[in-house]
Amino acid sequence: MKNPKALLLTITLSLIAASTLSAQALVGAWTYGNTSSPDSSGTGILVFLDNGVYFQAESENTDDAPGGSTGMERGTYTWTSNTLTIVSTDTDTNGDNGLGDLVGMGGSSLVVTGDTFSFDGESFPRVTGSSDIVGAWSFGNTKTPGSVNTGVLVFLDNGVYFQAEEVNDGDGGSTGMERGTYTWNSVTGATTFSTTVDNNGAVGMSTIDSGATFVVNGSTLTVNNPDGPSTGTFALTAVPEPSTYAAIAGILVLGIATLRRRKQS
């Protein structure tokens, strides 16, 4: 006779795993607009972290000027039952642009379908690609920065990068964003940047020297910038995507099923 407790446990954990995966479907980086050649409606990235923090970098949106401007946001969000609620915007340098306008407005419909989400009548594709460096990388304490800089660095598959950085250390630079192009050698880690839009001053990829290396090791991106204005070695953490959570959930359920079979035998 089958063990009803083990069966119940397996079913319960399977449901928990499925629920976890669904909740994490929004986590990751998403783009909007023409990232390489923006028109007057601008372009940008949205990054939703698994700790309830979001970042946005918006560039060259002249349609909404003067109320909106090129800049970045950092805030908090919830997303349940396809409803996005922007709880707070803690940092906002892009004026009337961005998700910050939704604070206090209640929930808005946001539906994720595969690698696209639909929001406010527009479609936002997920940042994906075959290169290990493609995706979103976070740095600093994204939820409670304190006196440390925090932000996200996003590499797109088309050779474009975005950065949103909140400057808190008092060592120069300004809270803002960058958009530009990059090259990356996956073997040597050699990385170059050409910055097109930059309103964060003496921080960011615009300060990276031509001799810098960016080395990916699992979920860590180690930056070695020996000669540029921002010298030193820095580590950035990958923003996990749903596939990561799917793998964890699958391992969890498989482990419980294996344990159940052993008990039955």
Side-chain angles (χ1 to χ4, degrees), residues 26 79 143 165 168 198 213:
L26 185 60
W79 183 66
K143 201 158 194 174
E165 182 160 3
N168 300 303
D198 178 5
T213 59

Side-chain angles (χ1 to χ4, degrees), residues 33-55:
N34 187 327
T35 57
S36 56
S37 300
D39 59 21
S40 59
S41 63
T43 185
I45 53 97
L46 285 165
V47 179
F48 295 96
L49 307 184
D50 59 1
N51 63 354
V53 171
Y54 83 89
F55 283 87

